[in-house]
Amino acid sequence: MSKRTLILEDGMVFEGEAFGSSEVTMGEVVFQTGMTGYQEMLSDPSYCDQMIVLTNPLIGNYGMNRDDYETTRPLAKALIVREVCHTPSNFRSQTSLATALEEFNIPGLTGIDTRQLTRHLRSKGVMRGLLVDGTYDLTEQLERLKQMALATDQVKRASTERAYVIPGAGPRIVLVDFGAKLGIIRELVRRGCEVVVVPHDVTAKDVLRYMPDGVMLSNGPGNPKDVPTAIPLIQELTGQVVIFGICLGHQLIALAHGADTFKLPFGHRGANHPVEDLRTGQVSITSQNHGYAVEDQSLAGLNLKLTHRAINDGTVEGIRHTTHPVFSVQYHPEASPGPMDANDLFDQFLTEITNQQEVSHA
């Protein structure tokens, strides 16, 4: 393998070996603490424009398969690992991680101290990075990084361009696709729902045309304030239909009802984040992937109630509207990758739909 170097915007340099695509790339460098699930991480649309550092030291040992993708077109900028396995061994494996990265034109970096890199990002915060092959001029590359502007159109690129329907005999759910993981669709289909997937910039009028029983606001990449079309959508749908938001959808619900969001120093990305349900005291171990969070103090005086809080840093993990059937969580109940503790939120969503139908028919 040839030499490949990661250069961070603060001048920190990590020299290792190249695998995957030979594409020269720049992006936001973030770390992920999950021990497994690298295929789901790589294909999660929420990683759009990001270079993923995996803290587990050996990656690729169980290969890649067609069933575990979270999107058909991964949008991550790069994958950075301590050691990559080129000879996977698993009965489900259909190709190696390196081969898959080549096919998706995503570069990989291996052979660096990912623990050191993670500790650096944890203390300094996530930052822009650049991958270069062979020899390079550090001053010149740092200037390139300095001029790099972070994109604001990630949701547009991650979303479906047109609506489509997945048939089912149960409740009709309109899923607003801000960069939805296929795991969300799988959970709804598993429960018999008919799922209508619509683009991120859909209007409330168009959503209501489908006569939905419920609306789900998906996860997605980037800053929630870069999705202005979602604010009137949520405001107009509130009170007309049951709404459930996940991750970015959660942040957009907060913004639509007057709360604020902020960027976390290094985000929550992993499959081991404890979250407390403040209503019951129950703690769930959750899968998370977000760089922004709802500002706790901004909820004061609004029609939003705090329902869940992160154990590790006390940040907002769930909210609920006080008068309408609208609720959301910051973590991922579809749990791919991650534990299954929060999976029953999909059942709660369908129960709320049933309850609302009974009230309407009473």
Side-chain angles (χ1 to χ4, degrees), residues 72-219:
T72 56
R73 48 189 179 98
L75 298 172
K77 283 289 188 178
L79 189 66
I80 301 169
V81 302
R82 175 68 183 91
E83 180 183 352
V84 63
C85 175
H86 291 281
T87 55
S89 178
N90 186 278
F91 74 99
R92 298 177 71 230
S93 177
Q94 295 169 311
T95 189
S96 70
L97 173 60
T99 300
L101 288 180
E102 289 177 15
E103 292 173 352
F104 291 123
N105 201 29
I106 297 174
L109 172 66
T110 185
I112 71 163
D113 188 342
T114 50
R115 186 171 185 268
Q116 181 188 13
L117 175 54
T118 299
R119 287 169 65 90
H120 186 69
L121 295 174
R122 192 178 64 185
S123 61
K124 303 293 185 180
V126 297
M127 60 185 75
R128 292 169 294 185
L130 167 70
L131 284 182
V132 293
D133 289 349
T135 59
Y136 59 91
D137 182 295
L138 181 58
T139 302
E140 179 183 319
Q141 300 303 333
L142 287 173
E143 185 60 30
R144 286 184 63 193
L145 271 174
K146 184 179 177 182
Q147 312 244 349
M148 170 190 161
L150 293 175
T152 59
D153 65 341
Q154 289 98 338
V155 165
K156 180 179 179 181
R157 284 183 281 138
S159 176
T160 182
E161 294 181 357
R162 56 180 59 87
Y164 60 94
V165 179
I166 302 170
R172 177 177 295 170
I173 307 300
V174 169
L175 172 61
V176 184
D177 180 10
F178 298 114
K181 292 168 63 178
L182 291 176
I184 294 176
I185 297 176
R186 292 188 197 108
E187 291 299 332
L188 293 172
V189 169
R190 187 174 292 145
R191 289 163 172 80
C193 298
E194 177 184 58
V195 184
V196 183
V197 185
V198 296
H200 70 99
D201 56 357
V202 68
T203 65
K205 182 178 179 181
D206 287 337
V207 168
L208 293 173
R209 236 184 232 127
Y210 290 107
M211 301 178 66
D213 297 302
V215 171
M216 176 159 283
L217 307 175
S218 84
N219 66 290

